[in-house]
Amino acid sequence: MLTAMLSDRHYMRDVGPERPFDLIKWLMAAFVALFLLQHVAEKWFQHLEHYSWFGLVADNALHVRKLWTLFTYNFLQNTAGYSGGVFTLICNLLGLYFCGLDLRDRLGQARLAWLYAGFIAAGAIAWCAVYPLGVDWPLFTPFASFTGLFVLFCCHRADEKMTFLVFFILPATMKPKYFCWCWVALDLFGFLFYEMGGRVSPLWNGHAANLAAALAAFACYRVSRRADFSGGFSNTDIELPRWLRRQKKSSTRPPAYKVNVANRGDLRAEVDRILDKINSEGFGALTDEERRLLDDARDLLSRR
């Protein structure tokens, strides 16, 4: 019985056969290939037409009807910077590898593909919306989709301590939600003090698009927590993640209770709850009573 309970948990199942199509690996390969093509076109042939054809400018997208730029801007990179676009490429590849692979295994490949496209669309809509503020320069960067993936990853792993390499050099260990706040704060700063005034930010391009993708990620996280995507939405109210709201400390301890181990239904439900707690908080978070119950369930299984 305990074996069946373990196999019910998605994180205890055996890994199936390798996927014939891996969205994250294909995206990483596409970004590298397009980056090399950009360098060849610009450095060898002095061609820059791809920025006007595939970069996002609100006037071109809406009036000239270059609607494809609402999507293709995500796959261009600015190769004129001090790093020749290498820094942007590395950031994007690392985001896809660490955040994308985790979200793919957690949400499924098809759902992640829709979310990724949604982050791109959210960034494009926001960039067109700020055009009246004087933001008339083109957008060609994958940072909007990167921000969406990163924020969604941080929502799912908000309180798990992780080590990040700041600027790929300095190791920093903290909870992902704090890294998320820092990233969003930088985008908010760039948007308020530069893009709202019609000026190019010295940090990076596309703060408005990044903020829109971050908001979309927050919304998707809350909806996915409250409803089953395959079975319809019973309650679509959008709330902030739990770690964004102040937690009220309870002065009362949960009442002690006993589980009837002779009742298989009660035992299964309680072991399921404990296994979920181990997955989300770790084995060290178990109480003595919960540890004892797992031992009893194991002994009961061995006797049968």
Side-chain angles (χ1 to χ4, degrees):
M1 181 179 65
L2 185 58
T3 304
M5 295 176 187
L6 289 172
S7 64
D8 286 342
R9 316 258 67 76
H10 67 86
Y11 45 84
M12 298 297 291
R13 297 173 189 157
D14 292 334
V15 179
E18 187 176 354
R19 299 175 178 85
F21 173 80
D22 193 311
L23 173 68
I24 300 302
K25 292 180 180 178
W26 273 93
L27 282 174
M28 294 175 68
F31 277 112
V32 172
L34 291 173
F35 177 78
L36 295 176
L37 285 176
Q38 274 189 250
H39 267 277
V40 170
E42 295 173 23
K43 307 301 181 183
W44 292 6
F45 300 101
Q46 306 299 317
H47 288 317
L48 300 175
E49 290 83 359
H50 48 273
Y51 288 112
S52 60
W53 273 99
F54 301 108
L56 176 60
V57 178
D59 188 59
N60 290 340
L62 301 178
H63 296 99
V64 187
R65 296 188 179 181
K66 292 183 178 180
L67 298 180
W68 61 86
T69 61
L70 297 172
F71 179 77
T72 56
Y73 79 92
N74 183 74
F75 297 93
L76 286 179
Q77 297 175 67
N78 184 6
T79 60
Y82 67 93
S83 65
V86 175
F87 181 78
T88 303
L89 177 66
I90 293 176
C91 285
N92 188 41
L93 293 180
L94 288 176
L96 285 171
Y97 183 79
F98 289 105
C99 302
L101 289 178
D102 180 85
L103 292 172
R104 181 202 65 187
D105 296 337
R106 183 184 297 271
L107 304 175
Q109 191 157 246
R111 188 180 301 175
L112 179 61
W114 282 107
L115 288 173
Y116 190 79
F119 297 149
I120 297 175
I125 293 172
W127 194 249
C128 293
V130 297
Y131 179 75
L133 300 177
V135 183
D136 54 359
W137 56 88
L139 178 66
F140 36 84
T141 174
F143 270 175
S145 58
F146 168 85
T147 300
L149 290 179
F150 180 67
V151 170
L152 189 58
F153 171 83
C154 291
C155 285
H156 282 287
R157 295 184 174 271
D159 293 309
E160 300 180 20
K161 287 188 177 180
M162 294 185 177
T163 300
F164 294 81
L165 287 178
V166 180
F167 302 115
F168 310 110
I169 300 175
L170 303 175
T173 301
M174 66 173 67
K175 296 179 179 179
K177 62 183 179 183
Y178 299 128
F179 282 103
C180 177
W181 273 116
C182 292
W183 182 267
V184 172
L186 287 173
D187 273 320
L188 187 61
F189 173 84
F191 174 68
L192 292 177
F193 293 97
Y194 288 94
E195 289 181 354
M196 281 194 68
R199 295 180 296 159
V200 178
S201 170
L203 298 175
W204 51 76
N205 193 21
H207 294 295
N210 295 351
L211 290 173
L215 288 175
F218 281 135
C220 291
Y221 172 75
R222 290 311 304 165
V223 171
S224 67
R225 296 285 290 181
R226 297 171 65 90
D228 181 8
F229 275 77
S230 62
F233 298 90
S234 59
N235 189 347
T236 56
D237 293 336
I238 297 175
E239 299 178 3
L240 292 175
R242 182 176 58 185
W243 51 268
L244 287 178
R245 304 194 302 268
R246 286 190 174 182
Q247 301 291 323
K248 294 183 179 179
K249 294 184 178 180
S250 176
S251 58
T252 60
R253 297 181 60 185
Y257 58 90
K258 297 286 185 179
V259 177
N260 183 11
V261 295
N263 188 317
R264 293 187 61 179
D266 292 345
L267 181 61
R268 178 185 178 87
E270 185 62 15
V271 171
D272 281 348
R273 183 190 67 80
I274 295 174
L275 291 175
D276 287 334
K277 183 176 181 180
I278 293 174
N279 180 55
S280 60
E281 302 178 29
F283 193 81
L286 296 184
T287 63
D288 293 338
E289 180 66 21
E290 290 168 337
R291 293 170 188 262
R292 184 195 62 77
L293 183 62
L294 280 182
D295 291 337
D296 291 345
R298 182 185 58 194
D299 294 340
L300 182 62
L301 179 64
S302 62
R303 289 198 300 269
R304 294 182 180 181

